[in-house]
Amino acid sequence: MTTDTGRDDAFDRALPGRDALAELARWVGIASVSSDPDRANDVRRSAHWLADTLRRAGFRRAELWETEGLPAVFGCRPAGEPDAPVLLAYSHHDVHAVDPSEWRITPPFSPLYDGERGRLYGRGASDAKGQVMCHLWALDAHLTERDAPDPAVTVKYLVEGEEEVGSVHLADLLSQHADDVGADVVMVSDSMLWSLEEPAVCGVVRGSVTATLTVRGARRDVHSGAVSGAASNAALELCRVVDLLTDGSGRVTLPGFYEAVAEPDPALRASLDTLPFDLPAWRTATGTFATDGESGFSVPERLWTRPSVEVARLTAGRTDAPALGLIPAEASADLLFRLVPDQRADRVADQLRAWVEGRRRPGYAYDLEVSSTISDPYRTPPAHPALAALHRAVGYAYGAPARPIGNGGATPAAQLARACHAPVLFFGTGLPGDRWHGPEERVDVRALGLGTLALTRFLEELGSHYGRA
């Protein structure tokens, strides 16, 4: 931390106290699991909780936006000046599914604050309810600093309830409410920091294509004693095909896959060349045993500048009983492709379909289902003044210049940019060790404090230095 007393004092004020953490904990305690139909009422309860919180914070508009699935929350707090810039902050209030048996420190929806470690545990504490609350805390601090009833920027929030199931109705929301979501700048707050010691601003996120490949080799499961060694085996065939997705150097084998891969921005490349990276610490934080992937590239380069493919799930045979010596008739794999600029998700989906067609063998049936919720990669325009404002704000919060980085996951950034006709920035308070989607998810209170301080400064920077387009 810097020795700048003014900044340090501001950081101390930005740290969420017991009351603020208790407020976040109440929200985390709502089990808003969007993938579980039995939790639909909880997702709705989470939306109402946020809308009520926005109203108490002085938002003139705080409403639920209904979809054919689960509701989003929209809020608007106008600026004091009619020509002030407009910021739309996007995030989500739904959370990933849980297996309570894997949680040891506290049940997933019984939030626990560990004061010694400075962490709040609970599903959604980091992904992404803590990130949403940082925006509210920052707005409150911004108004206090201005000593004014209205912010320097018109602030809008769009917090959806289906991000963890692929944002299946986001396009409909953006189309139906096109006038409401108009903005000069969009900020996606569903992102991660690199570390608490290394200030950084994300300028590029990867896109994604998800698909399920199913192979069938028999009409029904067959006892191995009758056919072993002579009959088709769907699980083995699936493994054969999946193994062909990458070559010996870790490159994806779809023809044409790398033709549109753009060179990284020079500033990002320079940042990667000097990024302090501790491989053992990274493995510990992420819980991985080893590094793998495309040869010839560092871990940060693989995460932020190179595309990839992962197998997210393999299914074959009965999972509710012993194998019983049966050869499974069917096997499936959930595939996840991560894309980088200037790849197009629809083009990669076509490449995958063609690739599977060329790998078929007699005696098996193959079915490829590509998800409709594919997303394109996105890169913030490097010279945009709002990006410079965010760099200044993060640099102020940390007391050191912020370096450019990327984000290894996917967001609907490209979709938001097209719908809102505005550039998209990325800001989050997650850390690689926060265990998103895993047991013992947690958020670091220092990250929340730094995030609040940076967003407070960003609102002032945006209001002072960025005029309407």
Side-chain angles (χ1 to χ4, degrees), residues 191 200-205 265 268 341 378-382 387 390-391 403-407 424-427:
S191 184
V201 171
C202 173
V204 59
V205 296
D265 178 76
L268 176 58
Y378 182 83
R379 177 168 45 203
T380 304
L387 180 61
L390 182 57
H391 270 268
R403 66 167 67 241
I405 62 169
N407 189 290
V424 176
L425 306 178
F426 304 95
F427 183 82

Side-chain angles (χ1 to χ4, degrees), residues 1 191-202 275-278 281-282 285 304 394 397-398 401-403 405-406 427-434 444 446-448 450-451:
M1 290 293 179
S191 184
M192 288 190 184
L193 304 163
W194 177 245
S195 75
L196 291 179
E197 288 71 38
E198 193 69 29
V201 171
C202 173
L275 180 70
F277 178 69
D278 185 331
W282 183 82
W304 302 332
V394 172
Y398 279 80
R403 66 167 67 241
I405 62 169
F427 183 82
T429 56
L431 290 165
D434 280 354
D444 193 303
R446 292 175 300 161
L448 295 177
L450 288 165

Side-chain angles (χ1 to χ4, degrees), residues 194-243:
W194 177 245
S195 75
L196 291 179
E197 288 71 38
E198 193 69 29
V201 171
C202 173
V204 59
V205 296
R206 295 195 285 190
S208 68
V209 171
T210 57
T212 299
L213 175 61
T214 301
V215 175
R216 192 164 188 88
R219 294 183 180 87
R220 59 187 177 277
D221 293 351
V222 184
H223 193 283
S224 64
V227 299
S228 180
S232 53
N233 186 309
L236 286 175
E237 174 62 8
L238 177 68
C239 291
R240 180 192 72 84
V241 176
V242 168
D243 183 58

